[in-house]
Amino acid sequence: VAATSGLVAAWIGDFAHLGTREVMDDLFSDGPLREADNGRLHRHSRWDQRTGGVGASLAYFCLFTYFFSACCIGLPASNGLVTPSFAIGAGIGRLAGEGFRRAAVLLGHTHDPLSPAGGYAIVGSAAFSVAVTGKLSIGVVISELTGQLSYSIPVLFACVIGLSVGSLVEIDVYSMIARLKALPHWPALSSAADFELTVGDVVDEETLEVVGVPLRSGAGTGATRVAVRDALAASKHAVVPVVADSQSDAFVGAVRTADLEGALRAADAESELDLTPLVREDWPRVTRRTTLSHACFKYALHQHDRIFVVAGGGRLVGTLDADKVGKFLQRRRAARGDQAHRGLAAEENTGVV
């Protein structure tokens, strides 16, 4: 890969031998990418000395960086991920900016009336990086790196658009690497059709059964030892749901099984357990009508692999585990692949292809 990239870089032009920092400095500059007209360009970059001019150089740079960065992602000695996505996005943005600059000249303007070409590079860098990584915080990083706070609003807007478009095309690259290497990761939607799914499409009525420990038992002020033991015996997870009382089953929060076992050992044999200090009242919950995309967002936001399903009045009815959602989405992806394969085979049999 190193030898091939070196040979291709020598054919593309001198700008392909620059470091990523030097390239981004050139792309973010407000002036044209010609040494005679822009004294801020790095020496020997020569963006305008290739056949086809600056536009051809930028196009070759984007294709070169994209291809070899993708080749290096799976190698033990990686070329990086975020920084190359910065450079690729900046190249695409700068190419658009140069196109607008050229159009402005043809229309009789001495400069681009909308924005300097470097501004398009900054916005393009933010949009592409967010689409690749799936992280909106990239917009803040771009503003800090460039020091161009005047582009904050376009950058943030581009980040939102990039995240939306990237989510419709495919999951972010970190989730993809985790999936390919069978590493633990949060479920993520990878098709536009998946965004129409709800929690009710994943869970079945007969599986919506869960035993919660009542925060209060009858007229008492705490949970009984019997109720706590029953909840621990029924739970196979690290957390146990807590309900207000045994009559309403209103979901209150969750408590770790280790904390529940410790409280059970420390309490007197005849006394009730006060679980209020142990309960996590902010534990995420969803309903059957909640979109699956919002449920996946809750996994990533709260960093919990289990969220609870509630019905009318907040009544606890079940659980939704991240691994179950991941397997459900994997089955849908496999079904779509099989369907596409069968459709292609049918077209070949009928002579369309």
Side-chain angles (χ1 to χ4, degrees):
V1 174
T4 305
S5 64
L7 293 173
V8 175
W11 174 77
I12 288 179
D14 292 346
F15 56 86
H17 294 284
L18 297 176
T20 305
R21 180 65 184 181
E22 288 78 10
V23 168
M24 294 179 66
D25 286 343
D26 286 353
L27 298 179
F28 290 161
S29 63
D30 292 337
L33 293 180
R34 294 188 297 271
E35 294 185 25
D37 301 327
N38 189 351
R40 297 183 179 182
L41 296 179
H42 286 80
R43 295 181 60 188
H44 309 301
S45 58
R46 299 187 176 91
W47 292 93
D48 59 333
Q49 295 186 13
R50 179 176 181 82
T51 304
V54 174
S57 297
L58 289 171
Y60 278 120
F61 168 77
C62 293
L63 294 174
F64 169 79
T65 308
Y66 181 87
F67 178 78
F68 285 102
S69 296
C71 292
C72 293
I73 287 179
L75 297 179
S78 177
N79 184 45
L81 184 60
V82 177
T83 303
S85 66
F86 282 166
I88 297 170
I92 296 173
R94 183 74 192 209
L95 183 59
E98 292 294 335
F100 286 126
R101 182 200 297 276
R102 179 62 177 169
V105 172
L106 294 177
L107 293 175
H109 297 278
T110 57
H111 63 282
D112 189 349
L114 300 178
S115 174
Y120 294 99
I122 295 173
V123 175
S125 177
F128 190 84
S129 301
V130 171
V132 171
T133 63
K135 309 299 180 185
L136 283 173
S137 57
I138 295 295
V140 180
V141 175
I142 290 290
S143 298
E144 291 291 337
L145 287 177
T146 60
Q148 296 285 354
L149 298 181
S150 58
Y151 292 103
S152 296
I153 294 179
V155 163
L156 294 178
F157 184 75
C159 288
V160 174
I161 298 298
L163 180 62
S164 302
V165 175
S167 300
L168 291 176
V169 174
E170 188 54 270
I171 60 176
D172 64 88
V173 67
Y174 296 117
S175 299
M176 179 61 71
I177 293 175
R179 178 189 297 175
L180 294 176
K181 294 182 177 295
L183 300 174
H185 61 282
W186 302 119
L189 279 63
S190 58
S191 173
D194 293 340
F195 285 86
E196 300 178 358
L197 298 173
T198 64
V199 172
D201 295 321
V202 181
V203 295
D204 302 321
E205 289 288 352
E206 58 270 17
T207 62
L208 291 181
E209 296 179 1
V210 63
V211 178
V213 54
L215 195 62
R216 294 177 298 275
S217 302
T221 59
T224 64
R225 299 175 66 88
V226 175
V228 173
R229 288 197 186 97
D230 291 343
L232 287 173
S235 177
K236 298 180 180 180
H237 197 265
V239 295
V240 175
V242 179
V243 296
D245 52 64
S246 56
Q247 286 74 30
S248 66
D249 282 341
F251 181 69
V252 175
V255 60
R256 296 174 57 228
T257 54
D259 295 338
L260 202 58
E261 292 171 350
L264 189 61
R265 289 192 299 266
D268 297 334
E270 302 298 329
S271 64
E272 295 181 339
L273 282 70
D274 182 15
L275 302 180
T276 304
L278 305 177
V279 177
R280 291 280 304 274
E281 297 181 356
D282 61 342
W283 201 273
R285 65 207 73 182
V286 295
T287 66
R288 289 178 58 86
R289 295 182 179 180
T290 303
T291 60
L292 200 58
S293 61
H294 187 65
C296 294
F297 170 74
K298 284 181 176 288
Y299 288 128
L301 177 64
H302 296 276
Q303 297 293 300
H304 297 317
D305 63 346
R306 167 169 286 188
I307 56 182
F308 293 95
V309 182
V310 297
R315 181 173 59 88
L316 176 67
V317 293
T319 61
L320 186 66
D321 293 339
D323 59 346
K324 182 176 182 178
V325 176
K327 292 177 181 178
F328 172 80
L329 295 175
Q330 187 175 5
R331 289 195 299 269
R332 283 182 59 87
R333 285 191 294 269
R336 285 196 297 267
D338 293 341
Q339 185 177 4
H341 180 72
R342 288 194 298 268
L344 182 60
E347 291 180 353
E348 291 177 346
N349 292 333
T350 56
V352 176
V353 178

